[in-house]
Amino acid sequence: MRILVTNDDGIDAPGLHALAQALAADGHELMIAAPDVEYSGSGSSLGTLEHGAEISYTQRSFAALPNVPAISLEAPPAFAVFCACAGIFGPPPELVVSGINPGHNTGKMIMYSSTVASALSAAGFNVRGLAVSCGFPPDHRFDTAATIAAEAVRWMVDRSAPRTVLNINVPDVDLSEVKGVRMAPLASRGLLGLSFDKGPESIRLLRYANTERLGTATDSALVRDGYVAVSALGTIDVREPIPDVADYLEAGLPIVSAVEI
């Protein structure tokens, strides 16, 4: 499958490279188009819409991905997806995979996530989208998330229809310690909490981990409890039932499924 890999942490971010290497190992035709710097929290912003504006881009290459063309842009990731799906960089992708984001994107907080917005932006072009996130450093497990992302892409290739968009959040544990894979509704609260301190001339943003009041079997609660949470987003038309995703991933991964919750 022809896949665009992007992220909101910048083209040199290790999560993007872990993801791209896992997908390249599966033999997919890859292209990377991502921001030159971090654009976390920019949502679906395209950046400037000024008539005549010129957006700079740079061709990049990476030793670990010798046959993967890469472009960094001075723009948010949704702009990169827009350009790729519009055919600016060559044949449009059949799937956009965004991540691996360091920091879970769960609950209603996903409306601000550029990682998730990149996957959703693809749907506007009738292209499938997949967003993948794990936790913040130093506990993040890009290795576990990359393996699960590659298996999710296999499901997308085998069973998904155009405009399918999935948001996958992976707990920060060894693959063998993942308790299972579950379809999940969005929690009212994300695992990432934000608070603000107002000073005389600035507002200080403070980040903290939510672990309470996450609901039952929501995406946030499942990841907290050691499960992979899969949420279907946007307008979806699939040939197979969406719950099949969880069964597919569990069957294809060396994990020990816990009892049903």
Side-chain angles (χ1 to χ4, degrees), residues 38-116:
E38 183 175 351
Y39 276 89
S40 295
S42 64
S44 58
S45 170
L46 294 176
T48 181
L49 294 178
E50 188 69 23
H51 178 69
E54 296 187 1
I55 311 302
S56 297
Y57 68 90
T58 304
Q59 301 279 353
R60 298 288 302 275
S61 61
F62 300 101
L65 296 161
N67 300 312
V68 178
I71 294 176
S72 68
L73 301 99
E74 293 184 4
F79 183 82
V81 173
F82 191 100
C83 290
C85 290
I88 303 300
F89 303 134
E94 300 167 282
L95 170 64
V96 171
V97 184
S98 180
I100 300 167
N101 192 69
H104 291 112
N105 282 299
T106 63
K108 301 302 173 62
M109 283 292 290
I110 68 166
M111 71 177 69
Y112 308 109
S113 166
S114 328
T115 301
V116 175

Side-chain angles (χ1 to χ4, degrees), residues 2 24-25 58 89 109 119 134 144 158 196 213 230 232 234 237 251 259:
R2 195 163 55 252
T58 304
F89 303 134
M109 283 292 290
C134 61
T144 300
D158 291 345
F196 305 90
R213 295 186 291 122
V230 182
D237 176 21
V259 296

Side-chain angles (χ1 to χ4, degrees), residues 141 143-144 171-178 255:
R141 292 298 300 268
D143 54 343
T144 300
D172 295 310
V173 296
D174 288 338
L175 193 63
S176 62
E177 295 174 349
V178 173
I255 59 179

Side-chain angles (χ1 to χ4, degrees), residues 179 182 227 257-261:
K179 292 183 178 178
R182 299 290 184 270
Y227 291 82
S257 181
V259 296
E260 291 294 328
I261 58 174

